[in-house]
Amino acid sequence: MVRTPLTPEERERGERLGRLLREARGGRSMAEIAAHAGLSAETLRKIETGRAPTPAFFTVAALARVLGLSMDEIAGRCALAGV
């Protein structure tokens, strides 16, 4: 299956998500947060750096739970401009 390329706006949304997660993680290690969320540290690294700009809903929900973020906050801070 060929995936449709992401738009620049979708890439920016992924970068905003990554920044938000890094900020929320604070001084906690990537490995610690990933383990509590049931992810690999590499998956979290890709999300935080924008290399995985469209993570699955349940991945984001697990990270939100571990980091104490609401899904509304994540959606609001990462929404595409003009949407």
Side-chain angles (χ1 to χ4, degrees):
M1 181 168 109
V2 176
R3 184 174 180 169
T4 305
L6 297 175
T7 65
E9 292 82 11
E10 290 168 327
R11 289 191 183 283
E12 173 59 29
R13 180 181 56 200
E15 291 171 7
R16 284 194 300 267
L17 174 62
R19 281 192 299 272
L20 174 60
L21 296 176
R22 276 193 309 276
E23 290 170 11
R25 183 165 56 84
R28 295 177 284 180
S29 76
M30 199 176 277
E32 172 190 351
I33 298 303
H36 286 314
L39 310 170
S40 71
E42 182 59 24
T43 296
L44 180 54
R45 180 176 293 106
K46 287 178 181 177
I47 295 168
E48 284 191 0
T49 60
R51 288 187 5 238
T54 58
F57 172 83
F58 289 104
T59 298
V60 176
L63 288 167
R65 178 184 50 81
V66 171
L67 295 170
L69 297 169
S70 74
M71 293 300 284
D72 285 339
E73 179 180 7
I74 291 172
R77 291 188 54 190
C78 298
L80 292 175
V83 175

